[in-house]
Amino acid sequence: MDIEQLFARMDPPPVAELLGWEFAGWDPERQEISVRFDGKPMFCNHGGVIQGGILTAMVDDTMGPAVLAASGGTRMCQSIDIHSHFLRPVLPGPVLVRARVIRLGQRIGFIEAELFDAGDRLCLKASSSANLAAL
């Protein structure tokens, strides 16, 4: 299955549209998806950097599609937990997230992600476990 076509056929959820979700690539060997986001100024806190919850939403909105891609479009997931480690602040601008499926079991999946700012600096690392469900 062509993963890019899979995402092109699907109607994105409203939150993906809000975040500016854009498919950027799939590496089947690494089980890794890349997604671009628009780090809008409206996402900033009073310090002028993108709020951590928004960054975690971007990571979450990449890890779910990673499961969908790794399963060939047959499984979706619901996060059980997400652990975000903030390494540096993110200014408004383009954001890239790469998420890798570590393991897909029968009912639980494990996913990791990294978020990069416009300068290609690693700003956030995350891990998640998720309930898996058939589409």
Side-chain angles (χ1 to χ4, degrees):
M1 165 174 281
D2 182 281
I3 299 303
E4 188 168 2
Q5 288 179 358
L6 171 69
F7 291 112
R9 286 192 324 239
M10 298 178 71
D11 290 328
V15 70
E17 289 185 21
L18 175 69
L19 296 172
W21 194 101
E22 180 186 351
F23 177 78
W26 169 247
D27 182 338
E29 282 185 33
R30 293 197 64 193
Q31 297 286 282
E32 181 178 89
I33 192 172
S34 298
V35 175
R36 283 190 279 277
F37 293 94
D38 181 12
K40 300 172 187 171
M42 69 183 285
F43 297 158
C44 290
N45 60 25
H46 290 299
V49 296
I50 298 176
Q51 196 266 346
I54 297 291
L55 297 174
T56 300
M58 290 176 180
V59 166
D60 186 32
D61 215 10
T62 306
M63 289 192 283
V67 168
L68 186 65
S71 70
T74 64
R75 297 167 100 183
M76 60 177 282
C77 68
Q78 298 169 330
S79 300
I80 296 170
D81 59 9
I82 299 174
H83 299 273
S84 294
H85 302 275
F86 301 96
L87 306 175
R88 66 172 28 110
V90 179
L91 296 170
V95 172
L96 177 72
V97 179
R98 292 187 189 108
R100 286 173 298 292
V101 172
I102 304 305
R103 182 174 184 278
L104 289 181
Q106 292 299 312
R107 289 184 262 178
I108 305 291
F110 298 92
I111 311 103
E112 293 179 345
E114 296 176 330
L115 182 145
F116 299 86
D117 67 7
D120 199 32
R121 292 177 297 244
L122 177 62
C123 298
L124 184 153
K125 289 184 72 120
S127 61
S128 177
S129 56
N131 286 315
L132 302 175
L135 275 181

